[in-house]
């Protein structure tokens, strides 16, 4: 409170005539000297003048708590103007919050890879394309943004544990695989299934076990992987389409196909033996193909020679004889004498190269026939 200077005590006569209240003189609520009740403790005393003294922190706090108006004399402490009403402030604040809420829930930026599923009072209304769109504010209208380009991957199993399956020949295989999927219909994805990821995982596991149960262990371990992947993808897509899930299966990939860990070493030995056997079998098949190709070539050549022999038997027979003798005699040492009385040349240097030839052995050559051309 401010202590106003210049305040003087009342004359004894007035003090005797006017009864005092709990707050001082018996003034009324407006600060007058009417004696009708207790004087307002926050108003100025009678006869006091307003001064330009600034209100204290306590006065400001009390003024704000009271919402403005003071006692008499214009309704403010120290002649200050009254503050706005608290109810008006609450209404203004509520209006600002409502406006922000309307703008925030009515304007929807949709990214290029997204689609917006719009519902009015819980009922499907339409799908928003990429861009900026406006709807009614919530809770009248709601927009659920769905990423339709993101490819989601589900790994089986999620942890490093075994994923054992039974094959057609009553063997057990440890299979690890992955499923890739994305959203094709945003409205079906939002409304038709409750937990899409759990649905995809359950469908994938069921389809994989069904396909593996119809193949042998050898096929699952090696050449049958591609067939298993295609069949699982087809079965999954059929089930998800029956659910109207709005999901398309992009692909299924087998990452690991091994026997159980307890018998894995034995299976590796068997696999190595099978690979060796397959390698030997491939070599034999390759050699057989070469032999068959050579025989076919010789047979084709013989057919061509036979056609020539049918046209000119004598000429063909002589030519075959010459070619055969040329091939035989080309690899052996020989001496040809064409006329009588010719002393043959003894090739001593060639005789030295022969391992069975004697150093001083003479060679007797029979004379050739007089007709010439002897061999």
């Amino acid at each position: 409170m401010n202590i106003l200077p210049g305040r003087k005590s009342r004359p004894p006569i007035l003090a005797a005539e006017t009864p005092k209240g709990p707050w001082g003189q018996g003034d009324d609520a407006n600060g007058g000297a009417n004696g009708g009740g207790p004087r307002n403790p926050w108003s100025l005393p009678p006869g006091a003048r307003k001064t330009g003294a600034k209100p204290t922190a306590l006065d400001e706090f009390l003024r704000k708590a009271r919402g403005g108006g003071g006692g008499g004399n214009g309704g403010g402490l120290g002649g200050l103007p009254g503050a706005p009403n608290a109810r008006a402030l609450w209404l203004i604040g509520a209006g600002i919050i409502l406006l922000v809420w309307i703008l925030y829930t009515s304007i929807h930026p949709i990214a290029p890879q997204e689609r917006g599923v719009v519902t009015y009072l819980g009922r499907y209304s339409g799908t928003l394309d990429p861009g900026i769109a406006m709807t009614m504010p919530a809770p009248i209208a709601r927009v659920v943004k769905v990423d339709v380009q993101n490819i989601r991957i589900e790994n089986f199993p999620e942890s490093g544990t075994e994923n054992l399956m039974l094959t057609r020949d009553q063997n057990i295989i440890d299979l690890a695989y992955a499923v890739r999927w994305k959203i094709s219909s945003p409205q079906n994805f939002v409304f038709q299934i409750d937990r899409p990821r759990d649905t995809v995982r359950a469908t994938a596991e069921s389809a994989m076990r069904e396909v593996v149960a119809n193949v042998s262990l050898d096929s699952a371990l090696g050449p049958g992987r591609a067939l298993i992947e295609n069949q699982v993808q087809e079965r999954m897509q059929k089930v998800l389409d029956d659910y109207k899930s709005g999901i398309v299966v992009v692909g299924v990939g087998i990452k690991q196909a091994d026997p159980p860990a307890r018998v894995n070493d034995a299976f590796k030995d068997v696999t190595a033996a099978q690979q060796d056997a397959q390698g030997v079998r491939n070599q034999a098949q390759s050699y057989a193909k070469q032999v068959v190709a050579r025989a076919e070539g010789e047979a084709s050549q013989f057919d061509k020679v036979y056609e020539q022999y049918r046209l000119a038997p004598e000429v063909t027979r002589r030519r075959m004889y010459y070619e055969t003798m040329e091939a035989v005699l080309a690899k052996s040492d020989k001496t040809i004498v064409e006329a009588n009385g010719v002393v043959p040349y003894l090739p001593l240097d060639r005789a030295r190269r022969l391992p069975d030839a004697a150093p001083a052995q003479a060679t007797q050559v029979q004379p050739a026939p007089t007709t010439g051309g002897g061999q």
Side-chain angles (χ1 to χ4, degrees), residues 292-307:
V292 171
R294 189 185 306 114
E296 290 177 350
E298 293 177 356
S300 177
Q301 185 178 4
F302 179 81
D303 292 340
K304 293 180 180 179
V305 173
Y306 178 71
E307 293 295 333

Side-chain angles (χ1 to χ4, degrees), residues 24-315:
Q25 301 292 338
D27 299 336
D28 58 5
N30 295 326
N34 299 327
R39 182 175 58 84
N40 190 341
W42 312 113
S43 63
L44 295 175
R49 296 182 179 180
K50 297 179 181 180
T51 62
K54 296 182 179 180
T56 63
L58 180 60
D59 294 335
E60 287 292 333
F61 175 75
L62 294 174
R63 181 177 65 81
K64 292 179 180 179
R66 293 168 56 191
N73 300 329
L77 290 176
L80 296 176
N85 195 347
R87 183 177 181 183
L89 291 176
W90 278 105
L91 292 177
I92 293 174
I96 294 175
I97 295 175
L98 181 61
L99 179 61
V100 172
W101 173 258
I102 292 175
L103 294 177
Y104 180 76
T105 58
S106 298
I107 301 176
H108 308 281
I110 308 298
Q113 73 277 8
E114 294 178 340
R115 299 294 184 271
V117 180
V118 184
T119 58
Y120 280 93
L121 300 178
R123 184 182 295 273
Y124 172 72
S125 176
T127 303
L128 300 179
D129 293 328
I132 298 178
M134 295 187 65
T135 61
M136 296 291 291
I140 299 175
R142 294 183 180 274
V143 176
V144 179
K145 297 180 182 180
V146 179
D147 192 342
V148 297
Q149 295 183 3
N150 182 28
I151 297 179
R152 300 160 177 84
I153 300 177
E154 302 294 336
N155 294 313
F156 299 85
E158 289 184 318
S159 59
T161 58
E162 291 183 334
N163 187 25
L164 302 180
M165 297 185 184
L166 189 65
T167 61
R168 182 182 60 190
D169 50 1
Q170 304 300 317
N171 287 313
I172 298 177
I173 185 173
D174 183 11
L175 202 64
Y177 58 98
V179 176
R180 303 184 302 276
W181 61 280
K182 67 177 183 179
I183 301 172
S184 60
S185 177
Q187 58 270 23
N188 289 340
F189 180 79
V190 173
F191 289 101
Q192 295 297 330
I193 52 179
D194 184 20
R195 293 176 293 179
R197 183 173 180 270
D198 295 341
T199 303
V200 171
R201 293 190 64 85
T203 304
E205 188 171 359
S206 175
M208 180 61 74
R209 291 185 180 277
E210 180 182 359
V211 173
V212 171
N214 293 319
V215 299
S216 62
L217 178 63
D218 295 337
S219 178
L221 291 177
R225 288 192 178 185
L227 179 62
I228 294 174
E229 293 171 353
N230 294 333
Q231 291 182 356
V232 171
Q233 181 176 355
E234 293 176 358
R235 293 175 185 271
M236 285 187 61
Q237 192 62 58
K238 183 178 183 303
V239 174
L240 293 174
D241 290 343
D242 293 340
Y243 290 162
K244 297 181 180 179
S245 61
I247 295 174
V248 57
V249 180
V250 179
V252 178
I254 297 178
K255 299 186 294 184
Q256 177 185 355
D258 293 327
R262 289 169 290 182
V263 294
N264 193 16
D265 295 338
F267 268 90
K268 288 182 179 179
D269 295 339
V270 173
T271 302
Q274 291 177 350
Q275 292 177 354
D276 294 340
Q278 185 65 31
V280 175
R281 189 180 299 111
N282 293 336
Q283 293 178 0
Q285 292 177 356
S286 177
Y287 177 75
K289 290 179 180 179
Q290 293 178 1
V291 172
V292 171
R294 189 185 306 114
E296 290 177 350
E298 293 177 356
S300 177
Q301 185 178 4
F302 179 81
D303 292 340
K304 293 180 180 179
V305 173
Y306 178 71
E307 293 295 333
Q308 298 296 328
Y309 180 80
R310 290 177 58 188
L311 298 176
E314 185 63 27
V315 176

Side-chain angles (χ1 to χ4, degrees), residues 286-366:
S286 177
Y287 177 75
K289 290 179 180 179
Q290 293 178 1
V291 172
V292 171
R294 189 185 306 114
E296 290 177 350
E298 293 177 356
S300 177
Q301 185 178 4
F302 179 81
D303 292 340
K304 293 180 180 179
V305 173
Y306 178 71
E307 293 295 333
Q308 298 296 328
Y309 180 80
R310 290 177 58 188
L311 298 176
E314 185 63 27
V315 176
T316 304
R317 187 184 302 112
R318 185 177 295 274
R319 188 188 69 183
M320 292 176 63
Y321 173 77
Y322 289 157
E323 290 177 353
T324 303
M325 295 304 296
E326 180 181 3
V328 171
L329 297 176
K331 299 179 182 180
S332 62
D333 295 333
K334 54 190 175 297
T335 301
I336 301 175
V337 179
E338 296 184 355
N340 294 327
V342 177
V343 178
Y345 167 71
L346 181 61
L348 297 177
D349 54 346
R350 185 176 301 176
R352 293 191 186 98
R353 291 196 298 268
L354 296 175
D356 297 335
Q361 182 179 2
T363 304
Q364 183 178 1
V365 179
Q366 298 293 334

